[in-house]
Amino acid sequence: MKREEKNMLKRQQIISSAIAEFGVNSYTEASLNAICKNGNISKGIIYHYFKDKDELYLVCVTECFDRLTTFLNSEKITFNNVEQGIEKYLDLRHQFFKANPDFSNIFTNALLQPPKHLVERIKEIKVGLDKFNINFYEQVLKNVNLKSYVCHEEAIEYFLIFQESFNFHFQNKTYGDFTKLFDEHELKLGKLLKIMFYGIAKEETE
């Protein structure tokens, strides 16, 4: 086996062990010692491939968001019916996190309770998912008759405000269990998306 291949395998071994650790603990609670123990890796090897805990955590967050976005993009969502489109989108998220349970904790921690010193870097990492969400919203809008006082550009602006406010709501709540936080976030996301769309939809009598 070539040295490059060995390095790649060792690096992936570290990442896999880190995903397992960050998959059950927040950034603060997770430890390099646990990653070493669970992955049968020396701390020196970790520092050979990664500068520090921050870098290793961000690599795990990147893998989580990139794989989620890739999965969402791989499935076709039809938009002929607004409610069915939303349900399909939420079902795809459910499928992904059910198949990758460690990522649900990493996703929740990074999106809703991020380490304060890494907030800006996490924003950069989730740009791809943000673009997907905006595109999803725009596709739904094509099948919605907007209220007379709401233009397309305003609808997009309201969606961005909604997204930021929705996540901010969870960032300012204390949770001891990220599983509970994740479940509550996904449940309310579905309900609020429908409220968001039907709140701007043109009524039949208008």
Side-chain angles (χ1 to χ4, degrees):
M1 185 181 294
K2 294 182 180 180
R3 183 170 183 176
E4 292 81 4
E5 292 176 337
K6 289 183 178 179
N7 286 336
M8 184 176 65
L9 289 174
K10 179 59 68 175
R11 189 174 187 276
Q12 190 54 52
Q13 180 186 358
I14 296 169
I15 293 173
S16 296
S17 183
I19 287 174
E21 173 65 7
F22 290 121
V24 295
N25 292 305
S26 67
Y27 166 86
T28 303
E29 296 168 336
S31 73
L32 292 181
N33 288 335
I35 293 172
C36 291
K37 181 179 179 180
N38 296 332
N40 193 26
I41 306 163
S42 72
K43 192 172 288 188
I45 288 294
I46 289 181
Y47 283 121
H48 176 74
Y49 289 92
F50 300 95
K51 178 182 177 181
D52 50 26
K53 181 181 176 181
D54 284 1
E55 183 181 354
L56 183 53
Y57 174 73
L58 290 171
V59 167
C60 295
V61 172
T62 299
E63 185 152 344
C64 171
F65 278 87
D66 285 355
R67 286 177 58 179
L68 171 60
T69 305
T70 298
F71 179 77
L72 292 172
N73 277 310
S74 70
E75 298 287 334
K76 182 175 179 59
I77 302 177
T78 57
F79 299 93
N80 295 330
N81 181 286
V82 172
E83 191 156 344
Q84 288 179 0
I86 293 173
E87 290 295 338
K88 177 64 175 178
Y89 169 65
L90 295 173
D91 182 60
L92 288 174
R93 287 168 65 108
H94 176 74
Q95 288 181 41
F96 176 81
F97 288 116
K98 184 177 180 180
N100 303 276
D102 288 337
F103 283 147
S104 65
N105 193 76
I106 293 173
F107 176 84
T108 305
N109 184 212
L111 183 69
L112 306 179
Q113 304 273 294
K116 287 183 170 44
H117 67 294
L118 297 178
V119 168
E120 293 305 315
R121 295 183 68 180
I122 291 173
K123 283 183 180 179
E124 295 172 2
I125 289 171
K126 69 184 188 73
V127 164
L129 181 61
D130 289 339
K131 287 181 178 178
F132 176 89
N133 287 335
I134 292 174
N135 181 65
F136 167 80
Y137 187 75
E138 289 182 327
Q139 291 300 316
V140 175
L141 286 179
K142 291 179 180 179
N143 295 279
V144 171
N145 291 318
L146 298 178
K147 288 181 179 292
S148 59
Y149 54 81
V150 179
C151 67
H152 180 85
E153 290 73 19
E154 287 175 322
I156 297 297
E157 181 183 2
Y158 296 152
F159 172 71
L160 294 175
I161 293 172
F162 155 78
Q163 180 176 259
E164 185 175 341
S165 300
F166 180 63
N167 290 335
F168 184 76
H169 165 76
F170 289 96
Q171 290 171 4
N172 286 274
K173 297 181 72 174
T174 301
Y175 286 82
D177 183 354
F178 276 117
T179 300
K180 180 180 178 182
L181 174 57
F182 175 79
D183 290 342
E184 183 180 338
H185 177 269
E186 295 299 293
L187 176 63
K188 288 186 176 179
L189 175 62
K191 292 181 178 180
L192 288 175
L193 276 175
K194 292 174 186 177
I195 292 172
M196 180 72 185
F197 283 114
Y198 292 128
I200 63 173
K202 184 178 181 180
E203 298 169 2
E204 294 299 323
T205 56
E206 187 175 322

